Amino acid sequence: MKTFHPYLRFVSYLVLVILVNAAGITLFARFDLTANRMYSLSEVSKSVVHTLSEPLTIQVFFSKNLPAPHNNTERYLHDLLEAYGAYANDRFSYAFHDVDAKQASAESEKNQKLAESYGITPVQIQVVENDEISFQKAYMGLVLIHGDLVERIPAITNTDGLEYRLTTAIQKLNNKISALLRITDPIQVKLYYSTSMDSLAPYIGLKDLSSLPSEIKRMVDRLNARMYNKLVFTHIDPSKTEIPETELSDLHIMTLKWPALDNGKLPEGHGSVGLVVEHGKKSLAIPLLQVFKVPIIGTQYQMPEMQQIENQINAQVESLININETLGYLADHGTPSLYGASMGAPQRNSESVDIFRNLADETYSLKEVRLKDGPIPDEFNTLIIAGPTEPFSDNDLYQIDQFLMKGKSLAIFADAFKEIQGQQGMMQGGTHEQVNTGLEKLLEHYGMHIEPAIVLDESCYKQQVPQQYGGGERPLYFAPLIKNENIVKDHAFMKPIRGLIAYRMSPLTMDEQKLKQMGLKGGYLFSSSDKSWEMKPPIRLNPMMIAPPGQAERSRKWLACLVEGDFPSYFAGKPVPEKPKPEADASDKGQGAKAQDGKTENSKPAAPAVDLSGMKQEGATIEKGKPGKIFLTTSSALLTDVILDEAGRSPNAIWLMNTIDYLNNREAVAMMRGKEQRFNPLADISPTLKTVLKTFNIAGLPVLVILAGLGVYASRSARKRSIQQRFQRG
């Protein structure tokens, strides 16, 4: 039997290895030691792929042998999809397709055609080879196919926010399928195109303009097949159907009017072109003709590519059917318009919130709210109030108060001052006037107070001065840099944020005693540095005219806070405020309502036959609310394009969307978005400590190595002597 022992041992080891590998196939484990668990799937991602109700296929089109860092992006994408697959059900699958743009092979050409059919086109990347910089085209995109729907991520040039983009795209597809199957009325895609423009087309450099109706019809038919046949295409010819100019203007349809051209060969005329997507009472326009002026050359006309039009139709459909959770935005009382001046409302201070709207549209459906239209709808959980400048009536405040009492949330970006003259932006500062809208008394009731001042900070953004003005840097004290040590990390959605930039903010305080009496929980979120001070009226924000005060006048100022709990109503025990009477239209001024006999009557309604003044209303006001939240910060500029970046990866953009997610009870989504935040600034240290550390790195480390060597040498010498003494005694 002893002869067989080695063989039995070998067989035992072999069986053990096979069993370990079999267990490894079924049991999955990964250890992520990064601070934010960057390489681990969030709980939201696991849940999304684990609960798929229809097959989801991800087709990845990536060129092989890309230079760094793009090869790391491909490797990370491999690992990420593998992690999705480990937690997904049997309806999840993915495949990588080699699309080599340099080497033409049958498989590569086939994959290129497949990629282009999904709208994935190559991007240009920079390559450094043999100390030379060159550019090459590479495919770096993917498509998600869920049921009949397709969602694209056409360019994956880095790993920032990739898990967030994938998970939100999968969620969007899930929501979109449910929304499309739920609607009963079709979605109308209406093309307004005057055939009178066919003869104009060659003169404006658009020879193929006459084929626009047939091309868009084919594109809509192709898109309709992926949208469960919910689209209906209609071509409306304004040159044959009389449509008032005001109606075309309201629909944002472009109309061109031209004089006789080419010695009368083209007679005087006019024509309209534009695309409108409608569903129910809502409609959204898509411009089809772009007009721009080029120096010397003159006016040029251009049409977007069909792929761009298709993408816009897809986006408008998503907006119309509300595939995402709804987010309310106060659109009156002087707040910045969501859609800018082009939609009919003048943009206050020339500041745009286009980037915020685009970022929010990724996971929310923004809905404008006007208090004059009636009570705030219950269809959303959070109302954003950004920089109001016009007074709120008591009835307006009542609507906001009662919205909060229903367990909803308020995100308030309040400005203590508004600029009334001077240039806008970081360069100059004009005269500022204090804002008093009445919202302040509501905030005071909830224990929050905004000081009428502007926070200036020595730790601030530095403006580069042009060389013709002396060069160098100029500190913009009214744009404080919020450093990591001044950000409170009590909430999980704030933990990934390690720095922010503020802009024209005012200090705020919370009445902790009052909050405690009301049973509310309040906490500050971030502050300026201890080198900051206040500028009180008159406000002059010209950076060349601001000088820092002495250290005794400086201290940190709180700039944002969050209050949670069962809020008591400001209107508890008070009668419901009356709604202000609407102002009479100009056409109605001086006129009364005409009676049947032709005489004018007073438009005031007749008094009721029974005196109802003794009646009282009970239960109309919610006096103690369900658990809700109020977020307050003191600058609406934090929502504008001045601060936010289009990609949504800056600390300010991530913080803003994380805050909104938290107010909507989606903290898990906020943590997923923020875990890949890679802004990790070094802590500020004194010049003396910098010198000590530099000296230690230059001279200290070599000295330590020498001392360690001497220690080893001394230890060996002592050991030698010990051995010699032992043998000598022997």
Side-chain angles (χ1 to χ4, degrees), residues 415-454:
D415 295 320
F417 299 91
K418 65 178 180 180
E419 189 176 38
I420 58 176
Q421 68 180 38
Q423 296 179 348
Q424 178 66 18
M426 286 191 174
M427 300 293 183
Q428 300 289 336
T431 303
H432 290 72
E433 183 181 81
Q434 187 172 346
V435 175
N436 291 297
T437 63
L439 191 62
E440 298 82 13
K441 61 184 180 183
L442 206 61
L443 294 174
E444 292 276 359
H445 171 73
Y446 301 138
M448 292 169 278
H449 174 70
I450 300 174
E451 297 288 341
I454 295 292

Side-chain angles (χ1 to χ4, degrees), residues 443-496:
L443 294 174
E444 292 276 359
H445 171 73
Y446 301 138
M448 292 169 278
H449 174 70
I450 300 174
E451 297 288 341
I454 295 292
V455 174
L456 306 178
D457 198 336
E458 193 172 325
S459 173
C460 62
Y461 177 82
K462 305 295 192 301
Q463 171 194 352
Q464 295 295 324
V465 180
Q467 288 296 328
Q468 59 265 35
Y469 297 108
E473 292 182 334
R474 177 186 298 150
L476 300 181
Y477 297 116
F478 50 84
L481 295 178
I482 311 301
K483 298 186 177 179
N484 190 37
E485 57 266 27
N486 295 320
I487 298 176
V488 181
K489 305 295 179 72
D490 292 345
H491 297 279
F493 75 93
M494 292 293 295
K495 289 181 179 178

